[in-house]
Amino acid sequence: MSSVSDRRPLAAAAVALLVLIGGCDRSVQPTETLPPLQAASLDADAGAWRMFVLAAPEQVAVAAPAATTSDAYRAELAAVKAAQAAMTRAQRANVEYWSGGGVLRWNQVMRELVARYNLPPAPRPDGSYPVPDAENPFADPNFPFASPPYAARAYSYVSVAQYEALKATWHWKFRYNRAAPAKVDAGVQALAPVGDLPAYPSEDAVLAGATAEMLKLLFPGSVEEITRRAAEEREAALLSGRATASDVAAGLALGRSVAALVIARARADGMGAAGGTAALWQGMATAATARGEVAWLSQETPARPPMLPNFGAVQAWTMTAAQLATLDPPAPPSTSSARMAEDLAEVKRVTSNLTREQLAVALKWNDGAGTYTPPGHWNDIAAEYVRDARMSEVRAARVFAALNMAMHDAAVACWAIKFRHYNPRPVQLDPTIKTSIGLPNFPAYPSGHSTFSAAASTVLGAYFPSAAGEFAAQAEEAGISRLYGGIHYRADIENGKAHGLRIGAAVVQAVR
Amino acid sequence: MPRRTPPPLLAALVAAALPGALPAQTVDDGVVLPARFGYAMVAYGVDRWDRYWEGTRLRDNANIGTLTTRTVGLGFGYGLTDRLTLVASLPYVRTEASDGVLQGQRGMQDLTVAVKLRALQGRTAGGTAFQALLTAGAAAPTTDYTPDFLPMSIGLASRRAMLRAAVRAEGRAGWFADAGAGHTWRSTVTLDRPAYFTDDRLVLSDEVAMPDVVDWSATAGWQARGLRVPVTLAGQRTLGGGDIRRQDMPFVSNRMDFTRVQAQAAYQIPGVALDAFVGGSRVLAGRNVGRSSQLFAGVVGVFRL
């Protein structure tokens, strides 16, 4: 055989291979890009916006700063210049990272923490399940299990602490009106956008202080990372030319003090009892049976205790329990009703003939174990709109606070109803139904996804009216994804959505 | 020198067309066909596991029970020249869990196309024949299956490019041995969701970077009177990727490693240009994969154009 004829196809194959390798995407952009934040407005009146935990913006006092003409302040300016002159490449990258906005960056960090801790405990060999222990967060299972209700509450506490702290910050900033070092002294470089916002106390340090305290409480196993990030944010404030040491120190103290007030609320909000007891959920099952209904049973092997059966008793943000109850949806169709039979048949029909497009929708909104949960998904959606609107930190915090208060209140209300009715999942009534996403281990009615998403889309629609239709469509898709996944009946989805819309509207009124 | 007869017992080729539950999507080390000879193969395999490695922890999962993967593999080969052979394979895969609620998946998986070059051949004074083979291949999904529903997904859905080198020796007394190793480059895969957590990191993208994979195999066997019995030890190492976390689901870019042993027997049916083969394999050690046992059987027909 001629060697030439051998080589040609091989050469062609080698070239094709190289083209294939070269033409393939091989790497991934791991995070949302956040350009340096040039806030579209100063929001000088934000100190007067409605408070939720603090009684007034002056509840935590901030002492008057030294004048920019003082020796003490000049020494601080000299220190900033010296630090800028000695900056390392890593410090420069850190300044750039935080210039994207502290509220948005911490929101990304928080989503990562939720995804890291959103794993249910593995069963013990004897078939029982260990309970995560806050006193021993590194054990198996890690603390916390950042399930959707836990996550909804966590996102809300961090967002509310940030929002309260920033409103107080704005109040003191405009009280004292001390400009940023890069504005005071031309020798200080502005390595991140430095606008007309007064620098004292530093909003970056407030965010670092308030957020780190909240996150340490909620994710004690990640204290080291949280502390490191907070220190990096404070360092970035100084190196960027936005704050001097006293701006940072006053901000850190204010942020921590506000967090302490929010933490006091968290310790008394009923979360400690949300896990309930075996007697509690057995009583719920017995009551459902007594009403003539088929009671929910865990479909996991070994049977797992239901997820946070007493979360419905946790304190909501914007309403009392009685106010929240006025928004409740009706009881679900009886498990022996014709409507239930129709809904069950629909789940069977849809899951047995699932299209690839329907599977994609189910997977898109799965948000199950190991993910940032449905509330995290809505934070993810919100982040791009907040970024594109170039919101000031306090305005961005307001959007996330409203969004996350709405989802927390939706989670509380939804969980109360789920455990009141203790309604079985479709696979319990028809074991031939197979799911294309993980089956949540708690009662079906109403759909948490639908409730969360309707509430979230309502809030986001209020802040970004031009995208309201898009948010509504996303919420609709999130809801129906649970039918495609085989884990919810249509009645769960429709009633959850209507309930979520009512809660969202109430939260919009409360935050305005 | 090339013989003008069908090469014996092409069934050695079969393993590659049967990915089973393992992401062992390599091209085989097999043989080089004479020019204008071809083969067509069909094989059926059943792969089962009831324990899997969650990272390095071997565990069972009562919500999966036994995961069964059934594969119908189609394989084709054609001698472009005496030294250069074109091969292709395409499996149909179906998964099913014995317990729990998760829906089994099914569909055509990935088409693999490769060219194999006999780069060297020779014979020692004692009569042992040697050859060295170089293989370059590429693979891509043929359908839009999701890789985001492991362990039920039928594959990992990345496009891949592969390079392999292998040497083989055949003695006059009937023994033979192969050794080979390969490298696979993998494209990103796209999920239907906007974010995922793996390797201790939240990635805010629907794109997943897939680490490269290296694999190796060593075979020893014996052949006589139309019967051929190879025994293979093979392994795969993924050059990156995260572990399955405690009680988490597997993820497409996990660090999937394994070592497995495989044995098969192939028989050249007298009077027809057809080989039949049966075999089995067992995963001995692994990481983020099932501890699989596989049984397979098939036929290979040789033809001349």
Short mmCIF file of all heavy atoms in Angstrom, two decimals, chain B residues 96-132:
data_model
loop_
_atom_site.label_atom_id
_atom_site.label_comp_id
_atom_site.label_asym_id
_atom_site.label_seq_id
_atom_site.Cartn_x
_atom_site.Cartn_y
_atom_site.Cartn_z
N GLU B 96 -33.04 2.35 34.40
CA GLU B 96 -34.20 2.07 35.24
C GLU B 96 -33.73 1.82 36.67
O GLU B 96 -32.75 1.12 36.87
CB GLU B 96 -34.90 0.82 34.70
CG GLU B 96 -36.16 0.44 35.43
CD GLU B 96 -36.75 -0.87 34.88
OE1 GLU B 96 -35.98 -1.72 34.38
OE2 GLU B 96 -37.96 -1.03 34.95
N ALA B 97 -34.42 2.41 37.63
CA ALA B 97 -34.11 2.15 39.04
C ALA B 97 -35.16 1.21 39.61
O ALA B 97 -36.35 1.36 39.32
CB ALA B 97 -34.09 3.45 39.83
N SER B 98 -34.73 0.24 40.41
CA SER B 98 -35.69 -0.74 40.93
C SER B 98 -36.57 -0.14 42.02
O SER B 98 -37.70 -0.58 42.21
CB SER B 98 -34.95 -1.96 41.48
OG SER B 98 -34.19 -1.60 42.61
N ASP B 99 -36.08 0.85 42.74
CA ASP B 99 -36.83 1.44 43.84
C ASP B 99 -36.86 2.95 43.68
O ASP B 99 -36.16 3.51 42.85
CB ASP B 99 -36.18 1.08 45.18
CG ASP B 99 -36.22 -0.43 45.44
OD1 ASP B 99 -37.25 -1.06 45.12
OD2 ASP B 99 -35.22 -0.97 45.93
N GLY B 100 -37.66 3.59 44.53
CA GLY B 100 -37.74 5.05 44.48
C GLY B 100 -38.68 5.50 43.40
O GLY B 100 -39.41 4.70 42.80
N VAL B 101 -38.68 6.80 43.16
CA VAL B 101 -39.70 7.39 42.29
C VAL B 101 -39.13 7.94 40.98
O VAL B 101 -39.88 8.45 40.15
CB VAL B 101 -40.43 8.55 43.02
CG1 VAL B 101 -41.12 8.02 44.27
CG2 VAL B 101 -39.47 9.67 43.39
N LEU B 102 -37.82 7.87 40.80
CA LEU B 102 -37.23 8.54 39.64
C LEU B 102 -37.50 7.79 38.34
O LEU B 102 -37.40 6.57 38.26
CB LEU B 102 -35.72 8.71 39.84
CG LEU B 102 -35.32 9.58 41.03
CD1 LEU B 102 -33.81 9.69 41.14
CD2 LEU B 102 -35.95 10.97 40.94
N GLN B 103 -37.82 8.60 37.33
CA GLN B 103 -38.21 8.05 36.03
C GLN B 103 -36.98 7.58 35.24
O GLN B 103 -35.99 8.31 35.12
CB GLN B 103 -38.91 9.16 35.25
CG GLN B 103 -39.62 8.67 33.99
CD GLN B 103 -40.63 9.71 33.51
OE1 GLN B 103 -40.30 10.86 33.31
NE2 GLN B 103 -41.87 9.28 33.36
N GLY B 104 -37.05 6.37 34.69
CA GLY B 104 -35.98 5.88 33.83
C GLY B 104 -35.90 6.71 32.55
O GLY B 104 -36.86 7.37 32.16
N GLN B 105 -34.73 6.72 31.95
CA GLN B 105 -34.52 7.49 30.72
C GLN B 105 -34.11 6.52 29.61
O GLN B 105 -33.56 5.46 29.90
CB GLN B 105 -33.42 8.53 30.92
CG GLN B 105 -33.66 9.46 32.10
CD GLN B 105 -34.74 10.48 31.83
OE1 GLN B 105 -34.61 11.30 30.92
NE2 GLN B 105 -35.82 10.43 32.60
N ARG B 106 -34.34 6.91 28.38
CA ARG B 106 -33.95 6.06 27.28
C ARG B 106 -33.67 6.90 26.05
O ARG B 106 -34.21 7.99 25.91
CB ARG B 106 -35.02 5.03 26.97
CG ARG B 106 -36.32 5.65 26.50
CD ARG B 106 -37.36 4.61 26.19
NE ARG B 106 -37.98 4.08 27.40
CZ ARG B 106 -38.94 3.15 27.41
NH1 ARG B 106 -39.36 2.63 26.28
NH2 ARG B 106 -39.47 2.74 28.54
N GLY B 107 -32.81 6.37 25.18
CA GLY B 107 -32.60 7.08 23.92
C GLY B 107 -31.27 6.71 23.29
O GLY B 107 -30.43 6.04 23.88
N MET B 108 -31.13 7.17 22.03
CA MET B 108 -29.86 7.00 21.35
C MET B 108 -28.85 7.89 22.06
O MET B 108 -29.14 9.04 22.38
CB MET B 108 -29.96 7.43 19.88
CG MET B 108 -30.91 6.59 19.04
SD MET B 108 -30.55 4.82 19.06
CE MET B 108 -29.06 4.76 18.07
N GLN B 109 -27.68 7.36 22.29
CA GLN B 109 -26.67 8.13 23.01
C GLN B 109 -25.71 8.80 22.04
O GLN B 109 -26.13 9.53 21.15
CB GLN B 109 -25.99 7.20 24.02
CG GLN B 109 -25.32 7.91 25.16
CD GLN B 109 -24.10 7.16 25.60
OE1 GLN B 109 -23.35 6.65 24.78
NE2 GLN B 109 -23.90 7.08 26.92
N ASP B 110 -24.43 8.53 22.13
CA ASP B 110 -23.44 9.31 21.38
C ASP B 110 -22.86 8.52 20.22
O ASP B 110 -22.55 7.34 20.37
CB ASP B 110 -22.30 9.73 22.32
CG ASP B 110 -22.80 10.49 23.54
OD1 ASP B 110 -23.96 10.92 23.52
OD2 ASP B 110 -22.03 10.62 24.49
N LEU B 111 -22.67 9.20 19.12
CA LEU B 111 -22.00 8.58 17.98
C LEU B 111 -20.50 8.82 18.12
O LEU B 111 -20.06 9.96 18.32
CB LEU B 111 -22.50 9.22 16.67
CG LEU B 111 -21.76 8.76 15.40
CD1 LEU B 111 -22.07 7.29 15.10
CD2 LEU B 111 -22.15 9.64 14.21
N THR B 112 -19.77 7.73 18.03
CA THR B 112 -18.31 7.83 18.08
C THR B 112 -17.76 7.44 16.72
O THR B 112 -18.17 6.41 16.16
CB THR B 112 -17.73 6.90 19.16
OG1 THR B 112 -18.29 7.24 20.42
CG2 THR B 112 -16.21 7.01 19.23
N VAL B 113 -16.88 8.23 16.18
CA VAL B 113 -16.23 7.92 14.91
C VAL B 113 -14.73 8.05 15.14
O VAL B 113 -14.28 9.01 15.79
CB VAL B 113 -16.67 8.88 13.79
CG1 VAL B 113 -15.94 8.59 12.49
CG2 VAL B 113 -18.18 8.79 13.58
N ALA B 114 -13.98 7.07 14.66
CA ALA B 114 -12.53 7.12 14.88
C ALA B 114 -11.80 6.50 13.71
O ALA B 114 -12.36 5.69 12.97
CB ALA B 114 -12.17 6.37 16.17
N VAL B 115 -10.58 6.92 13.54
CA VAL B 115 -9.70 6.24 12.58
C VAL B 115 -8.53 5.64 13.36
O VAL B 115 -8.01 6.25 14.29
CB VAL B 115 -9.16 7.17 11.47
CG1 VAL B 115 -10.27 7.51 10.50
CG2 VAL B 115 -8.55 8.42 12.06
N LYS B 116 -8.20 4.42 12.93
CA LYS B 116 -7.10 3.70 13.59
C LYS B 116 -6.00 3.47 12.58
O LYS B 116 -6.23 2.99 11.47
CB LYS B 116 -7.59 2.34 14.09
CG LYS B 116 -8.33 2.42 15.38
CD LYS B 116 -8.53 1.05 15.97
CE LYS B 116 -9.54 0.27 15.13
NZ LYS B 116 -9.93 -0.98 15.81
N LEU B 117 -4.84 3.79 12.97
CA LEU B 117 -3.68 3.62 12.09
C LEU B 117 -2.74 2.60 12.70
O LEU B 117 -2.39 2.70 13.88
CB LEU B 117 -2.94 4.96 11.94
CG LEU B 117 -1.61 4.86 11.18
CD1 LEU B 117 -1.86 4.70 9.68
CD2 LEU B 117 -0.75 6.09 11.45
N ARG B 118 -2.36 1.61 11.87
CA ARG B 118 -1.30 0.72 12.35
C ARG B 118 0.01 1.43 12.03
O ARG B 118 0.44 1.50 10.88
CB ARG B 118 -1.36 -0.64 11.65
CG ARG B 118 -0.37 -1.62 12.26
CD ARG B 118 -0.59 -3.03 11.78
NE ARG B 118 -0.46 -3.05 10.33
CZ ARG B 118 -1.30 -3.70 9.51
NH1 ARG B 118 -2.29 -4.40 10.01
NH2 ARG B 118 -1.13 -3.66 8.22
N ALA B 119 0.62 1.96 13.04
CA ALA B 119 1.80 2.80 12.84
C ALA B 119 3.04 1.95 12.64
O ALA B 119 3.95 2.34 11.90
CB ALA B 119 1.98 3.72 14.04
N LEU B 120 3.09 0.83 13.29
CA LEU B 120 4.28 -0.03 13.23
C LEU B 120 3.81 -1.47 13.25
O LEU B 120 2.81 -1.79 13.88
CB LEU B 120 5.15 0.16 14.47
CG LEU B 120 5.93 1.47 14.64
CD1 LEU B 120 6.53 1.50 16.04
CD2 LEU B 120 7.00 1.58 13.58
N GLN B 121 4.55 -2.34 12.58
CA GLN B 121 4.36 -3.75 12.85
C GLN B 121 5.64 -4.50 12.57
O GLN B 121 6.50 -4.05 11.82
CB GLN B 121 3.18 -4.32 12.07
CG GLN B 121 3.42 -4.47 10.58
CD GLN B 121 2.26 -5.21 9.93
OE1 GLN B 121 1.52 -5.90 10.60
NE2 GLN B 121 2.12 -5.06 8.64
N GLY B 122 5.75 -5.63 13.21
CA GLY B 122 6.98 -6.40 13.04
C GLY B 122 6.82 -7.77 13.66
O GLY B 122 5.76 -8.12 14.18
N ARG B 123 7.90 -8.53 13.55
CA ARG B 123 7.85 -9.89 14.07
C ARG B 123 9.23 -10.20 14.64
O ARG B 123 10.25 -9.86 14.05
CB ARG B 123 7.52 -10.87 12.92
CG ARG B 123 7.07 -12.23 13.35
CD ARG B 123 6.60 -13.05 12.17
NE ARG B 123 5.26 -12.71 11.71
CZ ARG B 123 4.14 -13.21 12.24
NH1 ARG B 123 4.21 -14.05 13.25
NH2 ARG B 123 2.97 -12.88 11.77
N THR B 124 9.26 -10.80 15.80
CA THR B 124 10.54 -11.16 16.39
C THR B 124 11.05 -12.46 15.75
O THR B 124 10.30 -13.15 15.05
CB THR B 124 10.43 -11.40 17.91
OG1 THR B 124 9.61 -12.55 18.10
CG2 THR B 124 9.83 -10.20 18.61
N ALA B 125 12.29 -12.78 16.05
CA ALA B 125 12.87 -14.02 15.53
C ALA B 125 12.09 -15.22 16.05
O ALA B 125 11.93 -16.23 15.37
CB ALA B 125 14.34 -14.12 15.96
N GLY B 126 11.55 -15.08 17.26
CA GLY B 126 10.79 -16.19 17.83
C GLY B 126 9.39 -16.32 17.25
O GLY B 126 8.65 -17.22 17.62
N GLY B 127 9.02 -15.38 16.39
CA GLY B 127 7.73 -15.50 15.72
C GLY B 127 6.62 -14.70 16.37
O GLY B 127 5.47 -14.77 15.95
N THR B 128 6.90 -13.89 17.37
CA THR B 128 5.88 -13.05 17.99
C THR B 128 5.63 -11.81 17.13
O THR B 128 6.58 -11.12 16.77
CB THR B 128 6.32 -12.62 19.40
OG1 THR B 128 6.57 -13.80 20.16
CG2 THR B 128 5.26 -11.77 20.07
N ALA B 129 4.37 -11.60 16.78
CA ALA B 129 4.02 -10.44 15.95
C ALA B 129 3.72 -9.25 16.84
O ALA B 129 3.05 -9.38 17.87
CB ALA B 129 2.80 -10.77 15.10
N PHE B 130 4.23 -8.09 16.45
CA PHE B 130 4.00 -6.86 17.21
C PHE B 130 3.30 -5.86 16.32
O PHE B 130 3.56 -5.80 15.12
CB PHE B 130 5.35 -6.22 17.58
CG PHE B 130 6.06 -6.94 18.68
CD1 PHE B 130 7.07 -7.84 18.39
CD2 PHE B 130 5.71 -6.70 20.00
CE1 PHE B 130 7.73 -8.51 19.42
CE2 PHE B 130 6.38 -7.36 21.02
CZ PHE B 130 7.39 -8.27 20.73
N GLN B 131 2.48 -5.06 16.90
CA GLN B 131 2.05 -3.87 16.18
C GLN B 131 1.72 -2.73 17.15
O GLN B 131 1.44 -2.96 18.32
CB GLN B 131 0.87 -4.16 15.26
CG GLN B 131 -0.35 -4.74 15.94
CD GLN B 131 -1.45 -4.98 14.91
OE1 GLN B 131 -1.46 -4.37 13.86
NE2 GLN B 131 -2.37 -5.86 15.23
N ALA B 132 1.83 -1.55 16.61
CA ALA B 132 1.47 -0.37 17.40
C ALA B 132 0.36 0.36 16.66
O ALA B 132 0.42 0.53 15.44
CB ALA B 132 2.68 0.54 17.57
#
